[in-house]
Amino acid sequence: LYIISTNDIHATIDALPHLATIVKEYEARGEVLLVDSGDRVTGNAYVDDAREPGVPLVEIMNELGYDVATLGNHEFDKGSERLDAMLAAAEYQVVCANVEAMNGAIDPLEYTVVTLGGVDIGFVGVVDTDGGGRPLGGKSSYVNYTFTSDVDTAYEAYGEVAAKCDFVVLLSHMGRGADERLVKCGTSYDWIAGGHSHDLLSADRESVHISQNNKNLRYVTVADIEVCDGEIVGVAYEQLKTSEFAPDEAMVARVEELKASDPDLNTVEGVATEYASKEGVANFTIAALASYPYADGFVPEVTFYHYGGVRLDEFSQGNIKRADILNNDPFVSTIYVGR
């Protein structure tokens, strides 16, 4: 049987057809579980600014056959109402042991156990508490949630789940540093399928395998679990570059359908007269801010924009759609005007 893990998809819907091909290829070989380690949203306007933000990606994940996922910090970006809608739409289990919902918000499971190929596989989930005891992001996003320490909770959860399972996976959105600290604490997870820090990693630490697939579905990790007479007799890990797999045509059509579903996002807002690298995108952003039609006719003499806020690596020559503008700043940064 195979477990395919993803992380930090950030709504990169154009990579989903490649993932669909990978899933189909492994389904032809044996039984497959598809899992994710958080930050599925925030990064593409066709998902983040849809009429039901985040839900279009959840629906495609249902079609791909996802089984289990944990929460990343960006799942909380638009608050509990939007997160509840995503959780309600999910046909896969969402696990996150270190979050507790309040005031009627949906509470994810602490863990789940899936029986496949005659073995019981446990999945624990945790989200980072890098933001002073809560995940990174705006404080208002977390009004209806409380959190316990990511590393401590992951450590404590292992014993309860391991007693019920043959193989235990931590779907971690803590980042590589926290994952490695957890291993040093003496935990015995079989696999930490990580996310959050956007590392590219697949290696053994002590007796624990740790993997992370960079971001934007550039890679996936596959655990190949060999089972004989209900016993696990071997596990091997392989990291795959998704772009090396031909896109699934049906999923290409599905993605294009999603892009066409909101005419407002396809409105042309400008034209790039030539190809622009990230530096060109930054210049475009600064120029746009400098010429923004402020209500009182104010025209700034100097405009600042933090380079890390530029989220697109390039603009192709030609029309720039509203979706492109929003993709460049998925966090909707606040503009401050000084006089």
Side-chain angles (χ1 to χ4, degrees):
L1 60 92
Y2 303 94
I3 305 175
I4 302 173
S5 81
T6 60
N7 61 270
D8 297 277
I9 294 174
H10 287 296
T12 310
I13 55 178
D14 289 317
L16 293 173
H18 301 277
L19 176 62
T21 295
I22 293 172
V23 172
K24 286 182 178 180
E25 288 194 10
Y26 278 91
E27 286 176 339
R29 303 182 194 182
E31 297 188 82
V32 172
L33 290 174
L34 184 57
V35 302
D36 183 78
S37 295
D39 276 9
R40 293 172 287 282
V41 295
T42 308
N44 191 312
Y46 292 111
V47 171
D48 304 327
D49 296 282
R51 293 179 179 87
E52 294 183 274
V55 172
L57 181 61
V58 173
E59 292 173 345
I60 294 180
M61 290 176 66
N62 292 339
E63 294 168 24
L64 283 165
Y66 270 86
D67 296 280
V68 190
T70 195
L71 298 175
N73 52 297
H74 285 299
E75 266 68 62
F76 295 89
D77 279 351
K78 294 182 183 293
S80 60
E81 183 178 347
R82 298 303 186 189
L83 177 52
D84 280 354
M86 289 188 281
L87 293 174
E91 295 174 4
Y92 45 86
Q93 298 289 338
V94 178
V95 294
C96 197
N98 67 323
V99 60
E100 182 176 350
M102 303 179 295
N103 301 320
I106 296 176
D107 216 0
L109 302 170
E110 292 185 13
Y111 66 88
T112 190
V113 178
V114 179
T115 301
L116 192 68
V119 297
D120 295 321
I121 303 172
F123 293 94
V124 178
V126 286
V127 64
D128 73 277
T129 48
D130 294 341
R134 56 176 171 79
L136 291 175
K139 187 176 181 180
S140 61
S141 300
Y142 304 106
V143 168
N144 289 323
Y145 304 96
T146 59
F147 299 87
T148 56
S149 164
D150 48 12
V151 173
D152 292 347
T153 303
Y155 182 86
E156 293 166 3
Y158 171 78
E160 181 178 352
V161 181
K164 306 175 182 180
C165 299
D166 304 293
F167 191 83
V168 185
V169 181
L170 176 65
L171 299 179
S172 164
H173 198 80
M174 301 190 296
R176 177 177 179 175
D179 292 340
E180 293 184 339
R181 288 199 304 275
L182 176 62
V183 171
K184 290 179 181 178
C185 291
T187 188
S188 297
Y189 283 98
D190 295 285
W191 180 18
I192 299 177
H196 188 45
S197 55
H198 299 175
D199 287 290
L200 183 61
L201 171 71
S202 183
D204 292 329
R205 297 286 188 266
E206 309 280 340
S207 60
V208 181
H209 190 82
I210 300 179
S211 68
Q212 197 173 151
N213 302 304
N214 194 249
K215 63 177 180 177
N216 297 345
L217 269 178
R218 293 170 181 163
Y219 296 86
V220 301
T221 297
V222 181
D224 180 347
I225 303 176
E226 186 179 358
V227 179
C228 182
D229 294 329
E231 299 286 337
I232 295 176
V233 296
V235 183
Y237 298 90
E238 184 177 12
Q239 204 158 47
L240 307 175
K241 190 172 184 178
T242 55
S243 62
E244 294 180 351
F245 292 79
D248 177 75
E249 292 184 5
M251 186 55 66
V252 169
R254 180 69 174 85
V255 169
E256 292 306 312
E257 176 189 8
L258 171 57
K259 289 181 179 180
S261 64
D262 189 336
D264 289 343
L265 292 174
N266 292 309
T267 302
V268 175
E269 301 286 355
V271 178
T273 57
E274 58 185 65
Y275 166 83
S277 65
K278 185 161 186 174
E279 289 73 18
V281 177
N283 291 336
F284 174 89
T285 303
I286 292 170
L289 291 175
S291 60
Y292 185 83
Y294 298 101
D296 59 359
F298 169 74
V299 178
E301 296 178 5
V302 180
T303 305
F304 298 91
Y305 192 81
H306 63 106
Y307 187 80
V310 180
R311 308 303 286 190
L312 292 182
D313 293 327
E314 62 182 6
F315 274 145
S316 298
Q317 183 178 11
N319 290 340
I320 298 174
K321 299 178 180 179
R322 178 173 175 78
D324 299 320
I325 303 296
L326 294 170
N327 288 344
N328 189 43
D329 184 14
F331 308 110
V332 193
S333 298
T334 301
I335 299 174
Y336 293 93
V337 178
R339 301 178 186 277

mmCIF file of all heavy atoms in Angstrom, residues 296-323:
data_model
loop_
_atom_site.group_PDB
_atom_site.id
_atom_site.type_symbol
_atom_site.label_atom_id
_atom_site.label_comp_id
_atom_site.label_asym_id
_atom_site.label_seq_id
_atom_site.Cartn_x
_atom_site.Cartn_y
_atom_site.Cartn_z
ATOM 1 N N ASP A 296 -9.060 61.454 -2.064
ATOM 2 C CA ASP A 296 -8.916 62.913 -1.996
ATOM 3 C C ASP A 296 -7.917 63.444 -3.019
ATOM 4 O O ASP A 296 -7.498 64.604 -2.948
ATOM 5 C CB ASP A 296 -8.501 63.345 -0.592
ATOM 6 C CG ASP A 296 -7.178 62.710 -0.162
ATOM 7 O OD1 ASP A 296 -6.613 61.928 -0.957
ATOM 8 O OD2 ASP A 296 -6.706 63.012 0.945
ATOM 9 N N GLY A 297 -7.521 62.593 -3.963
ATOM 10 C CA GLY A 297 -6.598 63.032 -4.997
ATOM 11 C C GLY A 297 -5.139 63.060 -4.571
ATOM 12 O O GLY A 297 -4.267 63.498 -5.332
ATOM 13 N N PHE A 298 -4.855 62.538 -3.361
ATOM 14 C CA PHE A 298 -3.475 62.510 -2.869
ATOM 15 C C PHE A 298 -2.577 61.696 -3.799
ATOM 16 O O PHE A 298 -2.944 60.624 -4.258
ATOM 17 C CB PHE A 298 -3.457 61.913 -1.465
ATOM 18 C CG PHE A 298 -2.092 61.576 -0.943
ATOM 19 C CD1 PHE A 298 -1.225 62.576 -0.538
ATOM 20 C CD2 PHE A 298 -1.665 60.256 -0.866
ATOM 21 C CE1 PHE A 298 0.028 62.274 -0.055
ATOM 22 C CE2 PHE A 298 -0.409 59.941 -0.386
ATOM 23 C CZ PHE A 298 0.449 60.961 0.029
ATOM 24 N N VAL A 299 -1.404 62.226 -4.104
ATOM 25 C CA VAL A 299 -0.408 61.509 -4.898
ATOM 26 C C VAL A 299 0.871 61.400 -4.067
ATOM 27 O O VAL A 299 1.478 62.420 -3.739
ATOM 28 C CB VAL A 299 -0.101 62.239 -6.224
ATOM 29 C CG1 VAL A 299 0.969 61.485 -6.997
ATOM 30 C CG2 VAL A 299 -1.361 62.366 -7.068
ATOM 31 N N PRO A 300 1.282 60.173 -3.681
ATOM 32 C CA PRO A 300 2.480 60.044 -2.831
ATOM 33 C C PRO A 300 3.748 60.387 -3.598
ATOM 34 O O PRO A 300 3.842 60.159 -4.796
ATOM 35 C CB PRO A 300 2.463 58.563 -2.434
ATOM 36 C CG PRO A 300 1.713 57.883 -3.530
ATOM 37 C CD PRO A 300 0.684 58.868 -3.991
ATOM 38 N N GLU A 301 4.700 60.964 -2.895
ATOM 39 C CA GLU A 301 6.006 61.249 -3.495
ATOM 40 C C GLU A 301 6.931 60.045 -3.392
ATOM 41 O O GLU A 301 7.821 59.870 -4.215
ATOM 42 C CB GLU A 301 6.632 62.462 -2.807
ATOM 43 C CG GLU A 301 5.837 63.752 -3.016
ATOM 44 C CD GLU A 301 6.455 64.924 -2.285
ATOM 45 O OE1 GLU A 301 7.538 64.754 -1.710
ATOM 46 O OE2 GLU A 301 5.858 66.017 -2.303
ATOM 47 N N VAL A 302 6.733 59.236 -2.355
ATOM 48 C CA VAL A 302 7.570 58.048 -2.143
ATOM 49 C C VAL A 302 6.649 56.884 -1.783
ATOM 50 O O VAL A 302 5.713 57.049 -0.998
ATOM 51 C CB VAL A 302 8.591 58.262 -1.001
ATOM 52 C CG1 VAL A 302 9.436 57.008 -0.804
ATOM 53 C CG2 VAL A 302 9.479 59.470 -1.292
ATOM 54 N N THR A 303 6.896 55.712 -2.358
ATOM 55 C CA THR A 303 6.101 54.526 -2.065
ATOM 56 C C THR A 303 7.026 53.395 -1.619
ATOM 57 O O THR A 303 8.052 53.142 -2.253
ATOM 58 C CB THR A 303 5.321 54.063 -3.313
ATOM 59 O OG1 THR A 303 4.544 55.149 -3.802
ATOM 60 C CG2 THR A 303 4.405 52.902 -2.978
ATOM 61 N N PHE A 304 6.664 52.730 -0.539
ATOM 62 C CA PHE A 304 7.441 51.600 -0.035
ATOM 63 C C PHE A 304 6.599 50.331 -0.145
ATOM 64 O O PHE A 304 5.394 50.363 0.094
ATOM 65 C CB PHE A 304 7.817 51.810 1.440
ATOM 66 C CG PHE A 304 8.689 53.001 1.682
ATOM 67 C CD1 PHE A 304 8.133 54.239 1.976
ATOM 68 C CD2 PHE A 304 10.074 52.886 1.629
ATOM 69 C CE1 PHE A 304 8.937 55.336 2.215
ATOM 70 C CE2 PHE A 304 10.885 53.983 1.864
ATOM 71 C CZ PHE A 304 10.315 55.208 2.154
ATOM 72 N N TYR A 305 7.236 49.244 -0.476
ATOM 73 C CA TYR A 305 6.531 47.954 -0.474
ATOM 74 C C TYR A 305 7.544 46.890 -0.091
ATOM 75 O O TYR A 305 8.618 46.801 -0.699
ATOM 76 C CB TYR A 305 5.948 47.649 -1.857
ATOM 77 C CG TYR A 305 4.963 46.490 -1.842
ATOM 78 C CD1 TYR A 305 3.640 46.671 -1.450
ATOM 79 C CD2 TYR A 305 5.362 45.209 -2.190
ATOM 80 C CE1 TYR A 305 2.746 45.623 -1.409
ATOM 81 C CE2 TYR A 305 4.468 44.150 -2.152
ATOM 82 C CZ TYR A 305 3.165 44.361 -1.765
ATOM 83 O OH TYR A 305 2.290 43.315 -1.725
ATOM 84 N N HIS A 306 7.203 46.078 0.911
ATOM 85 C CA HIS A 306 8.183 45.083 1.360
ATOM 86 C C HIS A 306 8.316 43.976 0.310
ATOM 87 O O HIS A 306 7.329 43.416 -0.165
ATOM 88 C CB HIS A 306 7.803 44.510 2.729
ATOM 89 C CG HIS A 306 6.522 43.756 2.766
ATOM 90 N ND1 HIS A 306 6.455 42.399 2.853
ATOM 91 C CD2 HIS A 306 5.233 44.197 2.726
ATOM 92 C CE1 HIS A 306 5.190 42.001 2.867
ATOM 93 N NE2 HIS A 306 4.433 43.085 2.798
ATOM 94 N N TYR A 307 9.539 43.691 -0.044
ATOM 95 C CA TYR A 307 9.821 42.777 -1.153
ATOM 96 C C TYR A 307 9.215 41.395 -0.908
ATOM 97 O O TYR A 307 8.734 40.744 -1.828
ATOM 98 C CB TYR A 307 11.339 42.657 -1.355
ATOM 99 C CG TYR A 307 11.745 41.879 -2.577
ATOM 100 C CD1 TYR A 307 11.731 42.470 -3.836
ATOM 101 C CD2 TYR A 307 12.139 40.541 -2.487
ATOM 102 C CE1 TYR A 307 12.107 41.772 -4.962
ATOM 103 C CE2 TYR A 307 12.511 39.833 -3.619
ATOM 104 C CZ TYR A 307 12.492 40.454 -4.845
ATOM 105 O OH TYR A 307 12.864 39.756 -5.963
ATOM 106 N N GLY A 308 9.225 40.955 0.353
ATOM 107 C CA GLY A 308 8.667 39.633 0.662
ATOM 108 C C GLY A 308 7.187 39.545 0.411
ATOM 109 O O GLY A 308 6.623 38.451 0.302
ATOM 110 N N GLY A 309 6.520 40.710 0.316
ATOM 111 C CA GLY A 309 5.097 40.697 0.044
ATOM 112 C C GLY A 309 4.760 40.400 -1.400
ATOM 113 O O GLY A 309 3.606 40.110 -1.727
ATOM 114 N N VAL A 310 5.757 40.470 -2.290
ATOM 115 C CA VAL A 310 5.529 40.160 -3.701
ATOM 116 C C VAL A 310 5.517 38.640 -3.850
ATOM 117 O O VAL A 310 6.537 37.979 -3.727
ATOM 118 C CB VAL A 310 6.623 40.784 -4.597
ATOM 119 C CG1 VAL A 310 6.380 40.450 -6.051
ATOM 120 C CG2 VAL A 310 6.658 42.290 -4.408
ATOM 121 N N ARG A 311 4.350 38.057 -4.113
ATOM 122 C CA ARG A 311 4.206 36.603 -4.075
ATOM 123 C C ARG A 311 4.304 35.947 -5.439
ATOM 124 O O ARG A 311 4.359 34.723 -5.530
ATOM 125 C CB ARG A 311 2.874 36.227 -3.426
ATOM 126 C CG ARG A 311 2.637 36.870 -2.082
ATOM 127 C CD ARG A 311 3.718 36.581 -1.075
ATOM 128 N NE ARG A 311 3.655 35.225 -0.574
ATOM 129 C CZ ARG A 311 4.358 34.769 0.460
ATOM 130 N NH1 ARG A 311 5.191 35.575 1.082
ATOM 131 N NH2 ARG A 311 4.244 33.530 0.855
ATOM 132 N N LEU A 312 4.303 36.734 -6.514
ATOM 133 C CA LEU A 312 4.447 36.152 -7.846
ATOM 134 C C LEU A 312 5.898 36.247 -8.297
ATOM 135 O O LEU A 312 6.556 37.253 -8.085
ATOM 136 C CB LEU A 312 3.552 36.879 -8.859
ATOM 137 C CG LEU A 312 2.041 36.716 -8.684
ATOM 138 C CD1 LEU A 312 1.301 37.465 -9.788
ATOM 139 C CD2 LEU A 312 1.643 35.241 -8.704
ATOM 140 N N ASP A 313 6.369 35.206 -8.932
ATOM 141 C CA ASP A 313 7.737 35.196 -9.449
ATOM 142 C C ASP A 313 7.842 35.851 -10.818
ATOM 143 O O ASP A 313 8.929 36.207 -11.260
ATOM 144 C CB ASP A 313 8.262 33.755 -9.542
ATOM 145 C CG ASP A 313 8.426 33.126 -8.169
ATOM 146 O OD1 ASP A 313 8.743 33.867 -7.223
ATOM 147 O OD2 ASP A 313 8.229 31.903 -8.047
ATOM 148 N N GLU A 314 6.686 36.000 -11.485
ATOM 149 C CA GLU A 314 6.749 36.530 -12.844
ATOM 150 C C GLU A 314 5.365 36.973 -13.308
ATOM 151 O O GLU A 314 4.352 36.568 -12.749
ATOM 152 C CB GLU A 314 7.276 35.464 -13.810
ATOM 153 C CG GLU A 314 6.378 34.231 -13.882
ATOM 154 C CD GLU A 314 6.909 33.145 -14.789
ATOM 155 O OE1 GLU A 314 8.037 33.294 -15.286
ATOM 156 O OE2 GLU A 314 6.200 32.158 -15.003
ATOM 157 N N PHE A 315 5.349 37.835 -14.312
ATOM 158 C CA PHE A 315 4.177 38.141 -15.115
ATOM 159 C C PHE A 315 4.514 37.783 -16.552
ATOM 160 O O PHE A 315 5.579 38.154 -17.063
ATOM 161 C CB PHE A 315 3.829 39.638 -15.083
ATOM 162 C CG PHE A 315 2.976 40.073 -13.934
ATOM 163 C CD1 PHE A 315 3.160 41.321 -13.366
ATOM 164 C CD2 PHE A 315 1.975 39.265 -13.438
ATOM 165 C CE1 PHE A 315 2.369 41.748 -12.317
ATOM 166 C CE2 PHE A 315 1.181 39.684 -12.389
ATOM 167 C CZ PHE A 315 1.382 40.919 -11.820
ATOM 168 N N SER A 316 3.638 37.072 -17.208
ATOM 169 C CA SER A 316 3.823 36.825 -18.635
ATOM 170 C C SER A 316 3.425 38.075 -19.411
ATOM 171 O O SER A 316 2.662 38.916 -18.927
ATOM 172 C CB SER A 316 2.955 35.643 -19.095
ATOM 173 O OG SER A 316 3.335 34.468 -18.420
ATOM 174 N N GLN A 317 3.960 38.207 -20.607
ATOM 175 C CA GLN A 317 3.575 39.317 -21.461
ATOM 176 C C GLN A 317 2.092 39.184 -21.820
ATOM 177 O O GLN A 317 1.604 38.094 -22.087
ATOM 178 C CB GLN A 317 4.418 39.328 -22.739
ATOM 179 C CG GLN A 317 4.136 40.505 -23.662
ATOM 180 C CD GLN A 317 5.029 40.491 -24.893
ATOM 181 O OE1 GLN A 317 5.706 39.511 -25.161
ATOM 182 N NE2 GLN A 317 5.029 41.575 -25.643
ATOM 183 N N GLY A 318 1.381 40.302 -21.786
ATOM 184 C CA GLY A 318 -0.031 40.271 -22.147
ATOM 185 C C GLY A 318 -0.925 40.752 -21.023
ATOM 186 O O GLY A 318 -0.488 41.472 -20.123
ATOM 187 N N ASN A 319 -2.184 40.344 -21.079
ATOM 188 C CA ASN A 319 -3.179 40.831 -20.137
ATOM 189 C C ASN A 319 -2.884 40.404 -18.702
ATOM 190 O O ASN A 319 -2.475 39.273 -18.444
ATOM 191 C CB ASN A 319 -4.573 40.325 -20.531
ATOM 192 C CG ASN A 319 -5.082 40.969 -21.799
ATOM 193 O OD1 ASN A 319 -4.614 42.039 -22.199
ATOM 194 N ND2 ASN A 319 -6.054 40.332 -22.439
ATOM 195 N N ILE A 320 -3.112 41.333 -17.786
ATOM 196 C CA ILE A 320 -3.010 41.051 -16.358
ATOM 197 C C ILE A 320 -4.428 41.092 -15.794
ATOM 198 O O ILE A 320 -5.088 42.132 -15.823
ATOM 199 C CB ILE A 320 -2.124 42.089 -15.643
ATOM 200 C CG1 ILE A 320 -0.700 42.040 -16.206
ATOM 201 C CG2 ILE A 320 -2.103 41.828 -14.141
ATOM 202 C CD1 ILE A 320 0.206 43.129 -15.668
ATOM 203 N N LYS A 321 -4.888 39.944 -15.306
ATOM 204 C CA LYS A 321 -6.253 39.833 -14.804
ATOM 205 C C LYS A 321 -6.323 40.233 -13.329
ATOM 206 O O LYS A 321 -5.314 40.286 -12.629
ATOM 207 C CB LYS A 321 -6.764 38.406 -14.972
ATOM 208 C CG LYS A 321 -6.816 37.923 -16.414
ATOM 209 C CD LYS A 321 -7.284 36.479 -16.476
ATOM 210 C CE LYS A 321 -7.332 35.972 -17.914
ATOM 211 N NZ LYS A 321 -7.771 34.561 -17.987
ATOM 212 N N ARG A 322 -7.537 40.475 -12.886
ATOM 213 C CA ARG A 322 -7.745 40.778 -11.477
ATOM 214 C C ARG A 322 -7.204 39.648 -10.594
ATOM 215 O O ARG A 322 -6.610 39.900 -9.537
ATOM 216 C CB ARG A 322 -9.238 40.993 -11.198
ATOM 217 C CG ARG A 322 -9.555 41.258 -9.735
ATOM 218 C CD ARG A 322 -11.021 41.630 -9.535
ATOM 219 N NE ARG A 322 -11.330 41.774 -8.122
ATOM 220 C CZ ARG A 322 -11.033 42.824 -7.386
ATOM 221 N NH1 ARG A 322 -10.399 43.845 -7.938
ATOM 222 N NH2 ARG A 322 -11.358 42.885 -6.115
ATOM 223 N N ALA A 323 -7.364 38.417 -11.028
ATOM 224 C CA ALA A 323 -6.842 37.281 -10.266
ATOM 225 C C ALA A 323 -5.332 37.369 -10.111
ATOM 226 O O ALA A 323 -4.784 37.022 -9.055
ATOM 227 C CB ALA A 323 -7.226 35.968 -10.939
#
